[in-house]
């Protein structure tokens, strides 16, 4: 994801801001998050999108930046944060802190998801389907960042509707939060899982 920062910086390379953002934290995708890991698992931090906005003032234009950050331990916990600041590095740092505070658990089945799910956030809709081992993560860069941070390795996905990065990321996170394992559904309904009893009889 460091290439995304480098690709965004040429637009912002006015004055010292561009050089400051390149020094910012392009290498924070994997190492920075691990130092702040509360548990034993290292946290990976990925920069999904950086946006620049300008405000026209008396002396010229004043720029501010927003950074969409995904943080996850790749073992079923992932968080999303949007940081805003006058510098790219500060926006990334704030987004990472917000993402760590908002991490949630995700139900995974081995390296994929337990069932098909679709979720929407504003104009964005995301469809996720389980995939066989070895398929990989078939997704766009925004959906991929969220899925890989959560620890999903085999999945099929399709982004429907809006392509806004923030909305797509939130829709993906909402889809992951809807996932339920079979024993959780049985437990909520007051039923017992009898898959192991049925298998020997069939054999």
């Amino acid at each position: 994801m460091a290439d995304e920062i480098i690709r965004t910086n040429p637009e912002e390379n006015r004055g010292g801001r561009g050089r400051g953002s390149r020094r910012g934290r392009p290498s924070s995708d994997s190492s920075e998050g691990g130092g702040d890991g509360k548990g034993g698992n290292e946290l990976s931090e990925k920069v999904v999108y950086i946006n620049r906005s300008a405000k026209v003032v008396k002396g010229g234009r004043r720029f501010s930046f927003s950074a969409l950050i995904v943080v996850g331990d790749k073992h079923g916990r992932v968080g999303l944060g949007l940081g805003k600041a006058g510098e790219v590095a500060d926006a990334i740092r704030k987004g990472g802190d917000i993402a760590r505070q908002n991490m949630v658990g995700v139900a995974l089945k081995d390296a994929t998801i337990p069932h098909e799910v679709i979720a929407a956030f504003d104009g964005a809709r995301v469809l996720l389907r389980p995939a066989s081992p070895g398929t990989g993560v078939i997704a766009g860069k925004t959906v991929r960042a969220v899925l890989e941070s959560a620890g999903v390795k085999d999945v099929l996905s399709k982004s429907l509707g809006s392509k806004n990065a923030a909305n797509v990321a939130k829709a993906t996170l909402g889809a992951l939060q809807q996932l339920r394992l079979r024993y959780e559904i049985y437990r909520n309904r007051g039923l017992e899982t009898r898959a192991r009893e049925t298998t020997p009889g069939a054999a």
Side-chain angles (χ1 to χ4, degrees), residues 80-96:
L80 189 66
L82 181 65
K84 299 180 181 181
E87 296 290 340
V88 176
D90 295 335
I92 293 176
R93 177 181 53 80
K94 289 182 180 180

Side-chain angles (χ1 to χ4, degrees), residues 58-141:
K58 185 176 180 180
R61 290 189 297 176
R62 183 177 301 169
F63 295 101
S64 63
F65 302 90
S66 61
L68 183 63
I69 310 296
V70 175
V71 173
D73 61 358
K74 298 186 178 181
H75 289 87
R77 295 184 68 240
V78 63
L80 189 66
L82 181 65
K84 299 180 181 181
E87 296 290 340
V88 176
D90 295 335
I92 293 176
R93 177 181 53 80
K94 289 182 180 180
D97 294 340
I98 295 173
R100 291 184 186 91
Q101 296 173 3
N102 297 330
M103 292 186 69
V104 295
V106 175
L108 301 179
K109 183 180 180 182
D110 297 330
T112 185
I113 58 178
H115 56 84
E116 180 179 326
V117 64
I118 185 169
F121 188 90
D122 284 348
R125 291 192 301 153
V126 173
L127 170 67
L128 303 179
R129 286 182 177 175
S132 57
T135 304
V137 179
I138 309 300
K141 66 174 185 178

